[in-house]
């Protein structure tokens, strides 16, 4: 594999472009510090230095360092924020705007009280709402916990198969009840339990990393591996569906050094497949990641994991250490980066901004991340599940994967199924399966007493279809003509006990809260849409005009796709919105 000199985590040459000359930069920062007019609390500065230890004070590690303060003190005080800014040679305003951008950082301003020691977050995503989350929220808020516990809502936490879910600090309580939450509080169970999974030793014993070793040893050629990926037809499984093999070729053709960013920030309501795989077989993903890096000539890898996945983070931390300690060959640097509660960071360029320690705001394109990505370098960006399939496809051949589809489609899909079915969960099924087949053959049918009414074929942004349209093959491109898309294959099943109108409102509230605020059409449009949808009678003309502006003028997919739920209600459930 190619090697690269790294200075402060930034490729040589790139660092020179990003940073002014040392003397000028030093003078600039000195003037800025002298002009702050605010003394640094020596105790807070000592706290920060003790937490950071010998770790670098690089700008791209700002979010990681904020996590250290949050984890230790349960909040980020003004004194600690200013001390961190001083230690990292950043303006306090710059640190403040990053810290306040992310939901999971509790920034306490001067004169404010710190939050309670324990936070109970009740997921208000659609699957949890259908399972009684609002009732649970009300009971918990009236639970008399006192000043030591606060109860708040949270957007989808990626556990839709066990709805409703409450998270006690970092400990998810599945199928939550007041009794289960009380038990967690009484036991002080505030951290996530790590499930049983295939560790490094077991994975190697089962033949793991043999393919990677063969690739590095020259027994397989990069061109042949890339051709296999192209022939298999594997497409990006994070939602966009770009052909994986073609992406490898595009990035490989860019000048070195090339970097890699792995997106495990699956925040789309209804999606939990990445977590499911990570908590069972993490090394299958890691080997696929390293094979892709070898084939493309990657110099460094950044793995971005959503903060809600505390158990998965513990697993990856332990297994990356095991892999590095017993590496089958020299490994390139792998950095595990922790999100901080921002759905928008699932968008590839917003994720890259967050990796660089900034607010997770999408970039204008072009240039695309394949040309200008992490630290301005050509970047191979992939969803975790896409890489999970690499080993099996290369070992078993392109024809094996391509032959798995149904109804004229190719490949396999991991469907995250939740809602009114007997067996919610991740169901591996042929691409092109219909919703009726998926419910009946994989999800155990509808819940007793429930009749199939409608479904989200692609999470919050993928639209809503009625039960009468139950014969559409579920795959990329098959849903476009209906105003929907499959995205990350998050299937939420509605029954006759549900309302498509209410479900659409739940999703628009999610988009309103998760808009990064960068562009007016999305920031204002989602809030306006919610206000209109909260009325008994929807203003169709105004909502339609609003959707046009949002879809045409928003910077990224959040604003562009946000109108899909209510547009589908008008199109497929007109009886719910007729005056």
């Amino acid at each position: 594999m190619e090697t690269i000199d790294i200075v402060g985590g930034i490729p040589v040459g790139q660092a020179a472009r990003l940073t002014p000359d040392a003397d000028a930069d030093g003078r600039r920062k000195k003037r800025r510090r002298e002009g702050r007019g605010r003394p640094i609390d020596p105790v807070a500065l000592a706290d920060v230095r003790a937490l950071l230890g010998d770790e670098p004070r690089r700008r791209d590690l700002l979010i990681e360092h904020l996590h250290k303060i949050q984890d230790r003190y349960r909040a980020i005080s003004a004194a600690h924020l200013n001390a961190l800014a001083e230690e990292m040679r950043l303006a306090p305003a710059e640190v403040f705007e990053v810290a306040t951008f992310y939901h999971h950082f509790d920034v306490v301003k001067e004169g404010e009280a710190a939050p309670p020691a324990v936070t109970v977050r009740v997921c208000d995503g659609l699957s949890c709402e259908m399972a009684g989350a609002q009732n649970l929220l009300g009971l918990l808020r009236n639970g008399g916990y006192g000043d030591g516990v606060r109860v708040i809502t949270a957007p989808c936490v990626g556990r839709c198969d066990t709805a409703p879910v409450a998270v006690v600090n970092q400990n998810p309580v599945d199928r939550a009840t007041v009794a289960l939450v009380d038990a967690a509080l009484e036991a002080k169970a505030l951290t996530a339990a790590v499930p049983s999974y295939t560790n490094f030793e077991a994975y190697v014993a089962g033949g793991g990393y043999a393919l990677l070793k063969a690739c590095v040893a020259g027994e397989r050629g990069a061109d042949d591996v890339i051709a296999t990926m192209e022939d298999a037809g594997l497409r990006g499984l994070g939602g966009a569906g770009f052909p994986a093999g073609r992406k490898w070729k595009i990035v490989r053709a860019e000048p070195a050094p090339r970097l890699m960013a792995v997106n495990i920030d699956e925040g789309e309501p209804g999606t939990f497949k990445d977590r499911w795989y990570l908590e069972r077989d993490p090394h299958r993903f890691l080997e696929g990641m390293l094979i892709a890096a070898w084939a493309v000539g990657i110099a460094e890898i950044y793995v971005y994991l959503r903060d809600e996945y505390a158990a998965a983070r513990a697993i990856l931390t332990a297994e990356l250490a095991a892999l590095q300690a017993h590496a089958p060959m020299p490994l390139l640097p792998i950095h595990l980066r922790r999100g901080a509660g921002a759905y928008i960071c699932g968008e590839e360029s917003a994720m890259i901004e967050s990796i660089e320690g900034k607010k997770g705001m999408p970039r204008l394109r072009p240039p695309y991340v394949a040309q200008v990505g992490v630290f301005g370098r050509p970047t191979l960006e992939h969803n975790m599940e896409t890489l999970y399939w690499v080993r099996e496809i290369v070992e078993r051949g392109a024809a094996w994967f391509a032959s798995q589809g149904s109804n004229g489609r190719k490949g396999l899909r991991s469907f995250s199924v939740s809602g009114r079915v007997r067996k919610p969960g991740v169901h591996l099924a042929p691409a092109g399966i219909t919703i009726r087949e998926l419910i009946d053959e994989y999800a155990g049918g509808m819940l007793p007493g429930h009749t199939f009414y409608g479904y989200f074929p692609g999470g919050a942004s993928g639209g809503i279809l009625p039960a009468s349209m139950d014969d559409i093959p579920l795959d990329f491109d098959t849903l476009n003509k209906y105003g929907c898309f499959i995205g990350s294959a998050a299937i939420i099943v509605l029954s006759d006990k549900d309302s498509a109108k209410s479900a659409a409102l739940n999703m628009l509230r999610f988009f309103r809260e998760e808009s990064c605020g960068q562009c007016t059409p999305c920031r204002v449009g989602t809030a306006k849409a919610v206000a209109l949808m909260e009325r008994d009678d929807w203003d169709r003309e105004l909502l339609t005009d609003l959707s046009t502006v949002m879809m045409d003028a928003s910077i990224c997919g959040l604003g562009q796709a946000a109108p899909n739920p209510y547009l589908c209600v008008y199109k497929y459930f007109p009886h719910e919105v007729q005056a």
Side-chain angles (χ1 to χ4, degrees):
M1 301 182 69
E2 296 184 52
T3 59
I4 174 176
D5 292 327
I6 300 290
V7 175
I10 301 176
V12 169
Q14 180 64 14
R17 292 203 301 274
L18 292 176
T19 306
D21 73 87
D23 291 339
D25 190 48
R27 290 195 299 272
R28 177 178 62 83
K29 288 178 177 174
K30 182 178 179 181
R31 287 195 300 271
R32 185 172 64 198
R33 290 196 298 275
E34 289 174 347
R36 286 175 185 167
R38 179 180 300 166
I40 303 300
D41 184 332
V43 175
L45 185 60
D47 291 341
V48 167
R49 287 174 174 170
L51 284 173
L52 270 55
D54 295 332
E55 294 193 33
R57 272 60 168 169
R58 299 195 314 265
R59 175 65 176 77
D60 62 291
L61 292 174
L62 173 58
I63 295 172
E64 296 296 308
H65 294 339
L66 286 168
H67 272 302
K68 291 181 176 64
I69 299 173
Q70 175 79 31
D71 290 345
R72 173 64 179 82
Y73 296 102
R74 308 185 309 278
I76 302 172
S77 68
H80 282 137
L81 188 148
N82 291 328
L84 180 63
E86 173 73 14
E87 188 68 8
M88 297 188 71
R89 298 298 186 261
L90 296 171
E94 189 173 3
V95 178
F96 178 82
E97 71 173 5
V98 171
T100 53
F101 179 85
Y102 296 93
H103 298 317
H104 290 185
F105 292 139
D106 286 312
V107 179
V108 181
K109 300 176 185 177
E110 292 182 1
E112 290 183 346
V118 177
T119 297
V120 178
R121 290 181 169 87
V122 178
C123 176
D124 63 2
L126 179 57
S127 297
C128 284
E129 183 175 276
M130 292 162 63
Q134 290 303 320
N135 180 59
L136 175 65
L137 178 66
L139 292 173
L140 291 173
R141 281 180 167 168
N142 293 319
Y145 295 119
D147 295 336
V149 178
R150 63 172 171 171
V151 179
I152 61 176
T153 60
C156 183
V157 296
R159 308 184 75 87
C160 315
D161 53 331
T162 58
V165 178
V167 183
V168 181
N169 277 16
Q170 292 187 342
N171 177 28
V173 180
D174 295 330
R175 299 179 181 87
T177 63
V178 173
L180 289 175
V181 172
D182 286 347
L185 292 171
E186 184 176 351
K188 300 188 184 303
L190 308 180
T191 58
V194 176
S196 175
Y197 66 92
T198 302
N199 62 15
F200 176 79
E201 183 178 355
Y203 183 74
V204 172
Y209 292 108
L211 176 61
L212 176 62
K213 287 193 286 187
C215 291
V216 174
E219 298 171 22
R220 290 180 181 264
D223 290 336
D224 292 339
V225 170
I226 293 175
T228 298
M229 297 300 296
E230 287 189 294
D231 293 343
L234 179 68
R235 297 174 64 169
L237 298 174
F242 193 87
R246 190 192 308 172
K247 182 182 285 190
W248 292 16
K249 290 179 71 173
I250 290 171
V251 178
R252 191 185 183 205
E254 293 295 318
R258 296 175 286 274
L259 306 181
M260 185 175 186
V262 182
N263 193 335
I264 323 181
D265 194 67
E266 64 170 357
E268 183 77 9
T271 309
F272 47 91
K273 61 183 178 62
D274 290 355
R275 174 188 60 79
W276 196 90
Y277 283 122
L278 275 176
E279 290 181 350
R280 286 159 177 79
D281 198 359
H283 286 281
R284 188 167 296 270
F285 146 64
L286 292 173
E287 184 170 12
M289 177 185 77
L290 291 170
I291 290 170
W294 160 81
V296 178
I298 297 298
E300 273 193 89
I301 299 173
Y302 291 82
V303 179
Y304 190 89
L305 178 68
R306 74 180 304 205
D307 195 33
E308 290 83 349
Y309 290 174
R313 183 169 68 253
I315 290 170
L316 278 180
T317 300
E319 296 310 310
L320 279 171
L323 174 61
Q324 290 162 344
H326 307 284
M329 73 287 297
L331 292 178
L332 69 172
I334 302 170
H335 309 278
L336 179 58
R337 291 293 174 87
R338 179 179 172 184
Y343 165 73
I344 192 63
C345 290
E347 195 277 337
E348 61 180 6
S349 65
M351 174 192 66
I352 287 171
E353 289 287 294
S354 191
I355 287 172
E356 294 179 357
K358 306 171 188 173
K359 295 183 294 182
M361 288 189 167
R363 299 174 178 176
L364 291 171
R365 288 169 287 185
Y368 298 96
V369 300
Q371 287 78 41
V372 181
V374 180
F375 304 126
R377 299 306 311 163
T379 299
L380 177 65
E381 187 273 343
H382 263 315
N383 167 257
M384 172 264 161
E385 195 208 343
T386 311
L387 298 169
Y388 182 89
W389 287 107
V390 169
R391 174 190 164 187
E392 195 156 7
I393 288 173
V394 176
E395 285 183 340
R396 302 182 69 168
W400 165 78
F401 187 79
S403 67
Q404 299 297 312
S406 175
N407 295 313
R409 310 303 296 181
K410 294 182 178 181
L412 293 165
R413 293 304 303 266
S414 302
F415 293 94
S416 302
V417 182
S418 63
R420 308 297 193 181
V421 294
R422 290 176 182 265
K423 293 170 54 180
V426 174
H427 297 292
L428 183 62
I433 193 173
T434 67
I435 183 63
R436 180 65 70 178
E437 293 167 333
L438 187 62
I439 292 173
D440 292 344
E441 298 174 20
Y442 290 83
M446 298 293 294
L447 284 172
H450 290 259
T451 301
F452 182 34
Y453 178 65
Y455 63 108
F456 285 77
S461 52
I464 318 174
L465 291 172
S468 59
M469 299 175 67
D470 63 355
D471 59 351
I472 304 170
L474 298 174
D475 197 14
F476 295 113
D477 310 323
T478 61
L479 297 158
N480 296 2
K481 62 183 178 181
Y482 306 108
C484 299
F485 54 84
I486 193 170
S488 58
I491 311 292
I492 304 175
V493 179
L494 308 179
S495 79
D496 57 337
K497 312 294 184 187
D498 303 308
S499 158
K501 184 179 179 182
S502 296
L505 176 58
N506 177 284
M507 295 305 193
L508 263 294
R509 285 172 174 156
F510 171 81
F511 288 131
R512 178 191 61 186
E513 297 304 314
E514 294 301 320
S515 172
C516 74
Q518 179 176 195
C519 62
T520 302
C522 178
R523 180 184 67 250
V524 176
T526 53
K528 182 65 174 177
V530 169
L532 291 170
M533 294 168 69
E534 286 177 336
R535 300 175 183 175
D536 291 336
D537 296 325
W538 288 7
D539 187 330
R540 181 166 189 166
E541 182 178 0
L542 189 51
L543 278 168
T544 302
D545 288 346
L546 189 62
S547 70
T548 300
V549 173
M550 292 173 67
M551 291 188 291
D552 290 348
S554 295
I555 290 174
C556 80
L558 191 156
Q560 294 163 9
N564 285 345
Y566 67 76
L567 292 178
C568 284
V569 172
Y570 277 122
K571 190 172 184 179
Y572 300 116
F573 303 88
H575 57 283
E576 292 196 21
V577 287
Q578 287 175 346

